[in-house]
Amino acid sequence: MLQKPPTPGFEDLLDSAQQHALHLELRDVYAVGEEREVFEAFLRDGSVPADDSEFWSGWLPLVERTVARGVKVLRARVVSEPVTDYIRFEHAITDANVRAGEQVRWLSRRRASTFALPGNDFWLIDDRIVRWNIFSGDGQALEPDHTDDPSAVKLCAEAFRAVWDLATEHADYRI
């Protein structure tokens, strides 16, 4: 039996993108370890990390160089309303994503009831490979997975575009 190859590293996937990297987020709470201190500071006093902080050191330069190559980096978030504290945090830090070149939109979960969404967050690279971001029930990041199965790629492409078309631009979304 053939063993499935390991999931490509995220930086390698983004570096391989030629047209677009589409990210759909579906959870209302994440508990990603490297965000803990920044999230707790936000809850205490509303502070957000500066663009040149250690928090952003890996992500923002990767987005900037990807966008500089002409690749569109689009992120759509489906959120329950009223939003959770974590979504308030994500909204507050998203200006940094936008300054780096990401386009970000928000969609109320209530408006997402009429189309199919996959069971996990994902990145879709050039409509050819899906990287599933897998999380535990309490929001801890688990080992990611990936597929190039045409039916999964199609589901993700259609889901992303359905969300994107209904979603509100970050600058206009009020929490």
Side-chain angles (χ1 to χ4, degrees), residues 51-67:
D51 291 8
D52 62 354
S53 70
E54 179 66 27
F55 177 79
W56 290 114
S57 65
W59 182 247
L60 297 184
L62 177 58
V63 170
E64 289 167 347
R65 81 170 186 246
T66 302
V67 171

Side-chain angles (χ1 to χ4, degrees), residues 14-149:
L14 215 54
D15 283 343
S16 76
Q18 299 297 309
Q19 300 167 1
H20 59 255
L22 311 178
H23 186 36
L24 185 61
E25 296 180 4
L26 301 167
R27 297 181 58 91
D28 289 318
V29 175
Y30 295 86
V32 180
E34 62 265 15
E35 294 178 348
R36 177 176 284 127
E37 288 180 25
V38 174
F39 178 53
E40 289 173 357
F42 172 79
L43 291 176
R44 273 193 313 276
D45 60 20
S47 63
V48 296
D51 291 8
D52 62 354
S53 70
E54 179 66 27
F55 177 79
W56 290 114
S57 65
W59 182 247
L60 297 184
L62 177 58
V63 170
E64 289 167 347
R65 81 170 186 246
T66 302
V67 171
R69 292 187 294 110
V71 175
K72 290 183 179 180
V73 179
L74 309 180
R75 180 187 305 255
R77 293 180 170 132
V78 177
V79 297
S80 300
E81 295 174 331
V83 299
T84 64
D85 285 343
Y86 188 86
I87 296 301
R88 283 188 321 102
F89 164 69
E90 277 193 330
H91 189 268
I93 66 173
T94 295
D95 287 338
N97 298 74
V98 172
R99 285 190 295 271
E102 278 190 67
Q103 297 174 50
V104 180
R105 293 185 181 180
W106 302 80
L107 182 66
S108 169
R109 190 170 313 281
R110 179 178 294 278
R111 296 187 65 209
S113 297
T114 60
F115 47 86
L117 294 173
N120 292 293
D121 291 12
F122 65 83
W123 281 90
L124 176 59
I125 308 298
D126 294 336
D127 292 341
R128 65 177 169 79
I129 188 167
V130 176
R131 175 190 163 108
W132 302 111
N133 291 343
I134 311 295
F135 295 91
S136 66
D138 65 356
Q140 300 292 322
L142 302 176
E143 192 65 31
D145 199 359
H146 72 287
T147 185
D148 60 2
D149 177 85

